[in-house]
Amino acid sequence: MSAQPDLLYSEEEEALRAAVRDLLADHCDAPGVIARTESGTPHDAAAWKALTEGMGLAGLLVPEELGGQGASHREVAVVLEELGRAVAPVPYLSSAVVATEALLACGDGQLLGKLASGRTVGALAVGLHVAPGGAFRTVRVEDGRLSGELTGIADAVAADVLLVPGDDGGLYAVEAGAVAVTPQVSFDLTRPLATVTLDGAAGRRVGDAEPAVRRALRAGAGLLASEQFGVAEWALTETVRYLKERKQFNRPVGGFQALKHRLAQLWLEVVSLRAAARGAADALASGGDADVVVAVAAAYAGPVAVHAAEEALQLHAGIGMTWEHPIHLYLKRAKADSIAFGTAGAHREALGELVDLQAP
């Protein structure tokens, strides 16, 4: 990792952002996302197809020789910022980041190519709450058959293939049709969780579970910060816009000093989050030791995203409490993300160990 991380966006990254934002404006408008959360199909297949087959975004982390784009975590971070801004109900983080990183650690080119095309959706069968380096549940492996139950698996309902850790230390690719996937009640309706039950399911060993899961969860935690930045930035931008238009006592509500102070404090937090998230993306892209930078970003991102969404809800007053307004989607995403890949407290504890800073 370089001594001077590059936190700025390149022209190519800004062009990518503009293209993704335009696409999501067409496919993931707020009323449409809200309607989808009320349906039996929370994932937006049309948006996923446009992002993957249309723009090739599922293969950003996959080398070109394996059918991917050969890009880096920096470009993926830009995509996740925009997905966060739209609370897009697509399995991008689960498939194009976490499952892909696990397979990159294993070196399974065949399955990587399928995930890179977007026609196959993958999911790592590890609970969304598990932090990098944390203990994760495994299933029994007997004669190549897998049996057991795993809970809290993000986007399992959309997956075509599941990457399942076995008790023999292996990571197995299991076809989704060979397991029972039972939806769980998810706080974030745009990223559903499920219980995966295996009863003698056939699996193909793709590599060792421990290094693959560790790499996948580190990338997931580091890049999740970019999604959380997207959520926080939307909340701040929309709140400022609303307070400029909403009037009380014949003057814009945003003109009151008390609200100015709250927004100024929130702005400082959000721009600091952007720096932390960009730092994590750059560290992951450099291929060096990114553990410290990822822990910093993950520890900071959750509380800021939640604070931004809470402020947006409160400062929109009555309209913010309605189901028709999309603020509740952002608050739920922020709250769910705050415990995904480990809580802020877990990351602070990990950071203390990494820099040898003992708790008092």
Side-chain angles (χ1 to χ4, degrees):
M1 185 174 63
S2 63
Q4 298 295 328
D6 182 3
L7 305 185
L8 302 178
Y9 299 97
S10 67
E11 291 184 7
E12 292 78 9
E13 289 165 355
E14 291 291 3
L16 174 62
R17 177 195 309 285
V20 174
R21 186 173 297 188
D22 287 345
L23 185 150
L24 293 175
D26 293 335
H27 287 86
C28 294
D29 61 295
V33 175
I34 293 172
R36 187 163 292 281
T37 63
E38 298 174 322
S39 70
T41 54
H43 289 101
D44 191 329
W48 176 250
K49 184 176 181 179
L51 287 166
T52 57
E53 297 183 29
M55 297 184 66
L57 299 183
L60 288 179
L61 294 177
V62 179
E64 292 184 47
E65 60 269 22
L66 297 178
Q69 304 301 318
S72 75
H73 299 81
R74 292 176 58 90
E75 290 78 15
V76 173
V78 171
V79 174
L80 284 169
E81 287 179 19
E82 294 307 310
L83 294 177
R85 282 178 57 90
V87 284
V90 293
Y92 189 85
L93 182 66
S94 301
S95 183
V97 177
V98 177
T100 295
E101 284 279 354
L103 290 173
L104 285 169
C106 297
D108 191 292
Q110 179 183 3
L111 192 49
L112 273 170
K114 293 181 179 179
L115 263 61
S117 71
R119 297 184 181 92
T120 297
V121 175
L124 181 65
V126 172
L128 185 61
H129 64 284
V130 178
F136 52 89
R137 297 183 63 180
T138 61
V139 299
R140 298 188 308 278
V141 181
E142 297 177 359
D143 300 324
R145 298 281 176 171
L146 284 67
S147 300
E149 183 177 274
L150 302 167
T151 60
I153 311 303
D155 295 325
V157 294
D160 301 299
V161 61
L162 295 161
L163 303 178
V164 183
D167 61 1
D168 63 347
L171 187 68
Y172 292 84
V174 180
E175 296 295 326
V179 305
V181 178
T182 307
Q184 296 178 251
V185 177
S186 305
F187 189 69
D188 178 7
L189 301 176
T190 62
R191 179 172 287 147
L193 305 179
T195 296
V196 175
T197 305
L198 302 93
D199 186 9
R204 178 176 66 86
R205 181 167 178 147
V206 295
D208 296 333
E210 182 65 31
V213 171
R214 183 171 62 251
R215 173 173 172 169
L217 296 184
R218 186 181 74 161
L223 291 174
L224 179 67
S226 292
E227 178 183 287
Q228 290 167 307
F229 167 65
V231 170
E233 186 183 44
W234 178 92
L236 175 60
T237 301
E238 287 300 306
T239 303
V240 170
R241 183 190 61 78
Y242 176 76
L243 293 182
K244 286 181 177 179
E245 297 174 354
R246 180 79 167 91
K247 292 186 177 180
Q248 278 188 348
F249 309 112
N250 203 32
R251 61 180 291 190
V253 174
F256 292 101
Q257 190 176 46
L259 298 189
K260 286 182 178 180
H261 287 172
R262 289 172 66 171
L263 292 173
Q265 177 61 38
L266 186 58
W267 181 83
L268 289 172
E269 294 178 12
V270 172
V271 295
S272 298
L273 171 53
R274 177 172 58 195
R278 291 301 293 168
D282 187 68
L284 289 167
S286 71
D289 183 9
D291 290 346
V292 170
V293 186
V294 167
V296 169
Y300 188 72
V304 171
V306 171
H307 182 216
E310 289 176 342
E311 288 286 77
L313 181 67
Q314 292 181 16
L315 296 178
H316 273 77
I319 192 174
M321 300 291 182
T322 64
W323 184 261
E324 291 75 14
H325 199 285
I327 288 180
H328 65 92
L329 295 177
Y330 291 85
L331 179 57
K332 292 169 184 174
R333 173 67 68 90
K335 292 289 284 185
D337 280 358
S338 69
I339 60 174
F341 304 114
T343 63
H347 289 292
R348 284 194 293 268
E349 184 176 350
L351 180 62
E353 294 178 359
L354 288 168
V355 300
D356 195 25
L357 181 62
Q358 302 300 320

